[in-house]
Amino acid sequence: MTEVFAHGGQQVFHEHRRLLFSVAYRVLGSAADAEDAVQDAWIKWSAADRSQVADPKAYLTRIVSNLALERLRSTRHKRETYVGPWLPEPILTGGDACEAAMDAESVSMAMLVVLETLSPLERAVFVLKEVFGFSHAEIAEAVERSEAAVRQAAHRAREHVQARRPRFTADRTRQREVTERFFAAATGGDVNALMELLSPDVTLWTDGGGKVRQALLPVVGAQTVASWFAAIGTVTYQGVEPADMRAELVGINGGPGIVFSSPERVIATVTFDFGPDGRITALHNVANPDKLRAVADGTAHDIGTR
């Protein structure tokens, strides 16, 4: 009987695993930490008296939210002392057209960067309320706070995010088309074609984490950013000769992105933020090898919220 129960528990957990990763990743901005939170949730679930659990999905979401929140608090110091800009750990997502726009937006690099500026509690509350549609009462139980505290955190977080996220961006077809043109221009070293695709005050954020040489401050302006990318095909980058560098268009964090690889490893990812006119307003370039494992292992994540 116990074996049957354990097997049933495993099946239920497996059914909700994707959702649990989706929650944890948005709270943490790190695929590795999210996987650890999901693993810890499994340990807690295995040890729980599941005969008392009326709604396994809500129960598991509660466990993983709490674990992710604890983990976020403990990693906070590392992020504050990080060398250069801290960017989230990118993940591969399916073809970007098939994802619901809201799901994709909530896992975009740009959104995760904004969420990074919230307090851990505000971030967890925002993710559970705005992205997953949980009620204030459900969230209060998950994060072990009063409902009033959760309402307050939700209000602060929503205002903060709205102030920092652009209200209008180009439609997804246009984003895809601009990314393809950028890809062709960068791999062809065409500075002028790149300039046309970039907003005049475009910003490039690069995250090498002190492990590889990257710009420690944001690179600003179309000319500088265009020159930076046009050089890719002509200079040795991280010890890789231009002839050995491969670039590929893939779905990253719910939108179109580029993965740069050598024959041995993934070198970097680039994702984009677009303005209403379809031009690129920001680029996020992750080159810290510690943050490229999720992309290197080739698993495409379903980042749906249901």
Side-chain angles (χ1 to χ4, degrees):
M1 181 67 186
T2 314
E3 258 179 57
V4 174
F5 192 58
H7 179 68
Q10 202 168 352
Q11 199 178 337
V12 169
F13 187 85
H14 190 71
E15 277 168 27
H16 298 300
R17 197 181 198 292
R18 178 196 60 73
L19 178 70
L20 301 182
F21 178 84
S22 277
V23 171
Y25 177 68
R26 285 170 172 90
V27 172
L28 288 159
S30 157
D33 286 346
E35 288 292 0
D36 287 348
V38 171
Q39 201 48 45
D40 292 348
W42 163 246
I43 292 163
K44 280 188 181 269
W45 172 248
S46 305
D49 176 3
R50 295 193 297 276
S51 62
Q52 303 298 307
V53 177
D55 181 349
K57 181 180 165 186
Y59 183 85
L60 284 165
T61 306
R62 201 157 64 227
I63 291 176
V64 88
S65 303
N66 211 330
L67 288 164
L69 183 54
E70 278 173 31
R71 196 170 275 272
L72 183 61
R73 288 195 177 110
S74 66
T75 57
R76 204 60 179 200
H77 173 66
K78 266 196 233 159
R79 296 183 188 185
E80 283 163 3
T81 55
Y82 195 77
V83 178
W86 187 96
L87 292 178
E89 185 181 350
I91 54 171
L92 297 174
T93 49
D96 58 308
C98 68
E99 263 123 26
M102 174 62 190
D103 291 354
E105 156 68 6
S106 69
V107 83
S108 68
M109 276 282 167
M111 176 59 93
L112 293 176
V113 166
V114 172
L115 292 184
E116 194 58 29
T117 61
L118 299 173
S119 75
L121 178 67
E122 286 167 354
R123 181 169 187 164
V125 169
F126 180 88
V127 166
L128 292 171
K129 181 81 183 79
E130 300 296 323
V131 182
F132 292 92
F134 284 94
S135 69
H136 290 118
E138 288 168 323
I139 298 167
E141 209 176 330
V143 299
E144 297 172 352
R145 287 285 193 288
S146 71
E147 210 177 314
V150 163
R151 278 180 190 281
Q152 207 175 7
H155 177 71
R156 278 199 311 270
R158 196 166 49 245
E159 285 201 328
H160 184 92
V161 171
Q162 280 172 353
R164 282 162 180 77
R165 281 298 292 132
R167 286 205 173 68
F168 308 103
T169 63
D171 69 64
R172 296 174 79 67
T173 311
R174 173 87 173 126
Q175 292 182 17
R176 178 88 203 171
E177 179 207 323
V178 171
T179 305
E180 285 168 0
R181 285 170 58 199
F182 181 92
F183 179 79
T187 48
D190 187 341
V191 174
N192 291 334
L194 284 168
M195 292 274 291
E196 283 172 26
L197 302 170
L198 301 171
S199 283
D201 55 354
V202 63
T203 305
L204 164 66
W205 302 86
T206 70
D207 177 344
K211 307 282 174 84
V212 295
R213 271 191 64 194
Q214 289 287 303
L216 294 182
L217 294 170
V219 178
V220 182
Q223 179 72 60
T224 322
V225 172
S227 304
W228 204 87
F229 278 98
I232 284 171
T234 60
V235 296
T236 302
Y237 180 72
Q238 288 187 39
V240 181
E241 296 293 329
D244 295 330
M245 182 73 83
R246 205 175 88 243
E248 191 186 352
L249 263 175
V250 293
I252 300 178
N253 286 72
I258 302 174
V259 174
F260 293 94
S261 319
S262 74
E264 288 81 40
R265 63 197 167 97
V266 170
I267 304 286
T269 61
V270 178
T271 51
F272 307 89
D273 230 11
F274 301 89
D277 61 356
R279 286 198 288 183
I280 296 164
T281 53
L283 302 97
H284 297 102
N285 169 218
V286 178
N288 179 346
D290 296 347
K291 292 188 179 183
L292 295 170
R293 289 173 190 152
V295 169
D297 84 5
T299 307
H301 291 271
D302 175 348
I303 42 92
T305 54
R306 295 288 167 264

